[in-house]
């Protein structure tokens, strides 16, 4: 597939995770729940307070081992009073991380297709 197509292929997936600040005025960790994953980034919901262009580290579960991915916030959308939807892109990825994320995205896509088609 064309690299741009691979980067934009999004697979709906829900997992609970944590983010850690790289930039921004907060400390510690925050709980988030993913909505979708692509080779180029992830969308998740979490508490209000993150800003556009802020950078965080996100723990992404994969089939091999969890990855700690650096992400930049691209968009913020209010969902409820204190909950936001954050669209992010992965930054500073090494080749091994790209391969692992790509394998995870395509594996999830195949699992979703098999479930949809009734093949378990």
């Amino acid at each position: 597939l064309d690299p741009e197509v691979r980067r934009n292929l999004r697979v709906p997936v829900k997992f609970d995770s944590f983010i850690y600040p790289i930039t921004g005025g907060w400390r510690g960790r925050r709980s988030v729940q993913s909505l979708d994953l692509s080779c180029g980034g992830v969308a998740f919901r979490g508490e209000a307070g993150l800003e556009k262009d802020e950078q965080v580290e996100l723990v992404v579960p994969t089939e091999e081992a969890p990855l700690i991915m650096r992400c930049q916030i691209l968009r913020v959308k209010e969902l409820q009073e204190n909950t936001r939807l954050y669209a992010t892109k992965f930054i500073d990825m090494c080749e091994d991380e790209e391969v692992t994320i790509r394998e995870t995205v395509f594996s999830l896509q195949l699992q979703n297709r098999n479930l949809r088609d009734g093949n378990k």
Side-chain angles (χ1 to χ4, degrees):
L1 286 176
D2 179 271
E4 189 63 25
V5 172
R6 280 198 313 256
R7 194 172 14 265
N8 292 322
L9 175 64
R10 295 199 167 276
V11 177
V13 60
K14 289 188 179 175
F15 58 83
D16 293 322
S17 190
F18 296 101
I19 56 170
Y20 301 88
I22 297 173
T23 63
W26 60 282
R27 292 194 139 133
R29 74 176 183 185
R30 292 184 182 179
S31 296
V32 297
Q33 184 181 51
S34 73
L35 300 173
D36 64 48
L37 176 67
S38 76
C39 297
V42 64
F44 60 82
R45 86 175 101 224
E47 68 181 71
L50 301 178
E51 303 290 330
K52 185 177 183 285
D53 295 324
E54 186 171 339
Q55 294 180 12
V56 297
E57 289 182 327
L58 169 71
V59 180
V60 177
T62 66
E63 293 195 16
E64 293 179 20
L67 291 177
I68 299 176
M69 302 298 298
R70 294 174 61 104
C71 303
Q72 180 179 352
I73 307 292
L74 297 177
R75 289 181 303 284
V76 180
K77 179 181 178 185
E78 185 173 349
L79 295 177
Q80 298 172 349
E81 184 176 321
N82 194 36
T83 305
R84 303 289 185 272
L85 168 66
Y86 298 99
T88 71
K89 71 174 180 179
F90 296 131
I91 56 174
D92 303 329
M93 292 176 74
C94 71
E95 186 175 338
D96 288 345
E97 290 171 330
E98 287 184 36
V99 168
T100 302
I101 292 290
R102 187 171 37 245
E103 287 173 351
T104 300
V105 168
F106 287 118
S107 173
L108 288 168
Q109 184 186 34
L110 288 173
Q111 288 173 16
N112 289 345
R113 188 182 73 188
N114 287 341
L115 289 174
R116 185 183 64 236
D117 294 344
N119 303 325
K120 293 184 181 177

